[in-house]
Amino acid sequence: MQVNAITQNNKSNNVNFGIKISGKVSNEICKEIFDQKMNKYMPSYVHQYERLRASGMDSSELYLVRGKDHDTFMLKNSTITTAYEKPIARAEKGNLLQAWFNIKPEDIQNAEKMLREVIEEKRQGLVSMADNVVVRALLYSKNNEKNVSKAVEKLDDNTVIDLFYQAKGIVKS
């Protein structure tokens, strides 16, 4: 057996494998295609798969959440934040393929951008609320850091979010 080398021409000569797409997504869409005898859409499905896979960061994952009335394509990226995930597209039962084709590469990129912005917003909010003595003491107590910015940066995403809402309650009162 001979294996041919894979070459990719891009400006930086870096191979980018793109986002991960959960096997459940592929499995459910292919099952729908075959169950509904829509085999003619298989090449289009594969083309869309490759388009979407190449559209985001290597650390992002597109996966499917099954609900009672509908299913949702979700994006997560633990290198951006572990606290939030972003819905990309919603599909009525039996219409996964239609929702799949409605996802654009920009949707992936915008979701990644939104994840970065939402966690950064919470971090900046905590820093600005640290003008309050009680909030500042709360931040200092979490990691023994006496610089507010550094204290917030050292916190994991879930702690940032918890403290953000706790600090809002303190500042509000």
Side-chain angles (χ1 to χ4, degrees):
M1 176 166 100
Q2 179 181 3
V3 177
N4 296 326
I6 297 174
T7 59
Q8 180 176 349
N9 294 325
N10 62 22
K11 293 177 184 171
S12 65
N13 290 327
N14 292 330
V15 176
N16 182 358
F17 293 103
I19 69 170
K20 298 166 197 71
I21 298 177
S22 166
K24 184 177 181 180
V25 168
S26 299
N27 186 40
E28 294 296 324
I29 292 174
C30 289
K31 183 178 180 327
E32 184 176 294
I33 288 171
F34 292 117
D35 285 352
Q36 296 181 18
K37 297 178 179 25
M38 299 185 299
N39 298 357
K40 66 182 179 182
Y41 293 111
M42 189 54 93
S44 298
Y45 158 73
V46 171
H47 175 72
Q48 175 74 342
Y49 181 96
E50 292 303 322
R51 270 184 61 209
L52 295 179
R53 190 175 63 89
S55 65
M57 299 169 60
D58 293 352
S59 50
S60 291
E61 181 180 353
L62 185 66
Y63 67 100
L64 187 62
V65 174
R66 301 293 254 179
K68 189 172 121 179
D69 299 326
H70 62 276
D71 303 319
T72 306
F73 291 98
M74 301 284 291
L75 184 98
K76 67 179 176 180
N77 186 319
S78 60
T79 63
I80 297 173
T81 179
T82 57
Y84 292 103
E85 299 170 350
K86 175 76 170 115
I88 300 290
R90 184 175 165 175
E92 298 300 321
K93 291 292 184 183
N95 292 315
L96 276 179
L97 189 61
Q98 181 181 0
W100 174 256
F101 286 136
N102 287 333
I103 301 172
K104 298 179 285 303
E106 299 81 34
D107 296 336
I108 304 291
Q109 294 158 357
N110 290 338
E112 290 171 339
K113 180 180 176 190
M114 188 279 316
L115 291 173
R116 280 189 295 276
E117 289 172 350
V118 74
I119 197 64
E120 186 57 30
E121 173 188 303
K122 300 295 187 257
R123 287 187 187 281
Q124 292 305 316
L126 262 178
V127 169
S128 67
M129 287 186 279
D131 291 342
N132 181 295
V133 175
V134 176
V135 173
R136 191 169 42 252
L138 182 64
L139 288 173
Y140 292 162
S141 71
K142 289 297 178 182
N143 54 26
N144 295 325
E145 178 63 57
K146 298 302 179 198
N147 177 298
V148 172
S149 296
K150 287 181 183 178
V152 171
E153 281 305 312
K154 287 182 178 181
L155 299 173
D156 66 77
D157 297 346
N158 291 320
T159 304
V160 166
I161 293 162
D162 291 344
L163 289 176
F164 175 82
Y165 289 108
Q166 189 177 353
K168 277 186 93 162
I170 292 168
V171 171
K172 205 180 224 186
S173 43

